[in-house]
Amino acid sequence: MKYEIVVGLEVHAELNTKTKIYCGCKNSFGSMVNSNCCPICTGMPGTLPTLNKSVVDYAVRMGYALHCSINNICKMDRKNYFYPDLPKAYQISQFYRPICERGFLSVQTSKGEKRIGITRIHIEEDAGKLLHDGQNGTALDMNRCGVPLIEIVSEPDMRSSAEAKAYLDTIKATLQYLGISDCKMQEGSIRCDVNVSVRPEGTTEFGTRVEMKNVNSFSATVRAIEYEAARQIEILENGGEIHQETRRWDDIAGKNILLRSKEDAQDYRYFPEPDLKTIFVEESRLEELKASIPELPNDKLLRLMKQYKLPYFDANLMAENPDKADYFEAVAALGKCQPKNISNWLLGDITRI
């Protein structure tokens, strides 16, 4: 029997605001352990959060970039869970009415354009970082507690690891074009959870999905998807059953391991966050944010191919990196060289430096 892979992705992107989402602590990477934290972001009793306005603006801009409907009246919700790296033991997120819903992202693949649905974009806070020491146990760095995030949840519209990679590349480039995240994967600025299921080709009913955590690069996402799809197919071919669960991807070992059975929304006991007011974004502000959206990666890709007669490979590499694309167009505007020669030089000699 032939099987079809079904993939959905949850991308978490840290926003590059100057301060954290609910307090005035500095939002920066690489500071001395536990130096950028206060009673609010460490969840001390009696403290009250205040929502960072820039976080809302950034989320709205990403929503417009992904053709979403914007809920200009919405609220934060409290997500209850055992968080060893979030001292207050709950996360302030959005569940009942996220700020952005029902969008899409068009990506270019080797088979042509593919439209991938966006279920929602919501804002939330990041957790701290656990520092594991084999001899002395585990310590907690709370600098990352309260760093602002947006979570971008796709529809299960991807049918291969290649489509997932194209989607992630375009999401990353979009965040960079908007200037709302530095997308440094080595610093954890952009991360994703991967949901995979398989089903017999020609059927429309979804199989049981498995979620994978700890996927720290886009190339690892490709490997994780292909491994999990093969694992599920082998189970089904041997007469077994797929269980809904969360697994941890180990990229060094090239496999995943069981973490826990998968929770559903009711397990988190969501309720409206009592310490924060309702979010209201005026229509005039929405228009300002919409007008601030620059030319986006997919549009730039198509324009570079049409205007400069570049092949897809060259145009795609430059569209994924706004700095390279701007440099290419600045040199091309001088009219001294053929666009393809500039592209070869920029993507070859200069990139190798």
Side-chain angles (χ1 to χ4, degrees):
M1 183 181 295
K2 291 186 177 181
Y3 291 86
E4 180 179 55
I5 302 173
V6 178
V7 179
L9 298 174
E10 301 168 13
V11 177
H12 300 78
E14 290 186 349
L15 303 178
N16 57 6
T17 55
K18 293 181 180 179
T19 57
K20 294 184 180 182
I21 187 169
Y22 302 124
C23 67
C25 289
K26 188 177 179 181
N27 176 18
S28 66
F29 179 84
S31 300
M32 183 182 298
V33 172
N34 291 322
S35 61
N36 290 336
C37 51
C38 71
I40 294 175
C41 57
T42 56
M44 295 295 102
T47 58
L48 291 173
T50 301
L51 182 59
N52 185 336
K53 179 183 176 182
S54 295
V55 174
V56 177
D57 287 350
Y58 285 13
V60 169
R61 294 184 73 220
M62 190 62 178
Y64 278 129
L66 300 186
H67 308 95
C68 291
S69 298
I70 309 299
N71 293 321
N72 69 317
I73 301 177
C74 57
K75 206 175 188 313
M76 304 304 297
D77 300 302
R78 187 174 293 190
K79 180 181 180 182
N80 296 275
Y81 190 65
F82 173 69
Y83 291 96
D85 45 8
L86 200 58
K88 58 192 177 189
Y90 62 84
Q91 181 188 47
I92 302 176
S93 179
Q94 289 187 307
F95 176 70
Y96 293 107
R97 189 175 173 85
I99 195 162
C100 310
E101 294 181 287
R102 300 181 303 278
F104 67 88
L105 177 65
S106 294
V107 301
Q108 299 295 325
T109 71
S110 59
K111 297 181 180 180
E113 185 174 87
K114 174 69 180 281
R115 177 178 287 197
I116 298 167
I118 303 295
T119 307
R120 56 191 281 141
I121 302 173
H122 61 264
I123 57 181
E124 62 187 21
E125 60 185 325
D126 208 344
K129 184 177 182 180
L130 296 176
L131 306 174
H132 301 289
D133 185 325
Q135 295 181 339
N136 301 313
T138 298
L140 172 59
D141 179 7
M142 292 184 281
N143 282 344
R144 203 170 65 183
C145 291
V147 167
L149 293 173
I150 52 172
E151 181 173 344
I152 306 159
V153 182
S154 82
E155 291 288 316
D157 288 343
M158 288 157 272
R159 296 294 177 266
S160 69
S161 59
E163 287 185 3
K165 175 67 162 51
Y167 171 85
L168 289 172
D169 285 337
T170 309
I171 286 286
K172 177 176 179 285
T174 302
L175 291 164
Q176 291 175 315
Y177 272 62
L178 295 174
I180 63 176
S181 176
D182 60 26
C183 296
K184 294 179 180 178
M185 297 199 75
Q186 70 274 19
E187 297 179 3
S189 296
I190 183 169
R191 316 185 289 274
C192 77
D193 298 333
V194 183
N195 292 281
V196 178
S197 64
V198 298
R199 63 186 179 188
E201 282 190 356
T203 61
T204 57
E205 184 177 350
F206 289 128
T208 301
R209 65 185 173 93
V210 170
E211 181 182 34
M212 281 179 287
K213 301 279 191 181
N214 196 47
V215 186
N216 295 322
S217 71
F218 293 171
S219 58
T221 300
V222 170
R223 292 188 288 272
I225 290 171
E226 292 175 352
Y227 173 89
E228 178 57 25
R231 188 187 72 86
Q232 292 186 26
I233 290 171
E234 183 179 4
I235 291 173
L236 294 173
E237 288 290 285
N238 290 326
E241 182 180 353
I242 306 300
H243 299 286
Q244 185 174 329
E245 57 194 18
T246 298
R247 303 179 72 88
R248 178 182 179 275
W249 174 249
D250 185 336
D251 201 42
I252 296 176
K255 63 180 182 179
N256 59 39
I257 57 174
L258 178 64
L259 279 177
R260 58 181 181 269
S261 59
K262 175 61 180 170
E263 297 87 358
D264 289 315
Q266 62 268 24
D267 297 314
Y268 294 119
R269 305 192 322 278
Y270 284 101
F271 62 84
E273 171 56 50
D275 293 336
L276 287 168
K277 295 181 179 180
T278 298
I279 299 170
F280 172 66
V281 187
E282 295 182 345
E283 290 295 332
S284 59
R285 182 57 180 163
L286 291 179
E287 290 300 319
E288 291 176 11
L289 294 170
K290 189 174 184 179
S292 73
I293 305 300
E295 182 184 41
L296 294 173
N298 198 46
D299 298 326
K300 186 179 289 290
L301 166 65
L302 297 175
R303 183 176 63 79
L304 290 174
M305 293 173 65
K306 181 178 180 180
Q307 181 176 345
Y308 298 102
K309 305 298 187 291
L310 292 178
Y312 169 81
F313 179 80
D314 295 41
N316 186 54
L317 284 178
M318 282 190 287
E320 289 176 357
N321 188 315
D323 292 335
K324 282 184 179 178
D326 290 344
Y327 193 83
F328 166 82
E329 295 207 75
V331 176
L334 299 175
K336 303 294 184 180
C337 301
Q338 291 296 318
K340 178 56 179 169
N341 292 335
I342 301 170
S343 173
N344 291 341
W345 171 68
L346 183 60
L347 299 177
D349 298 340
I350 297 301
T351 299
R352 284 194 294 267
I353 294 176

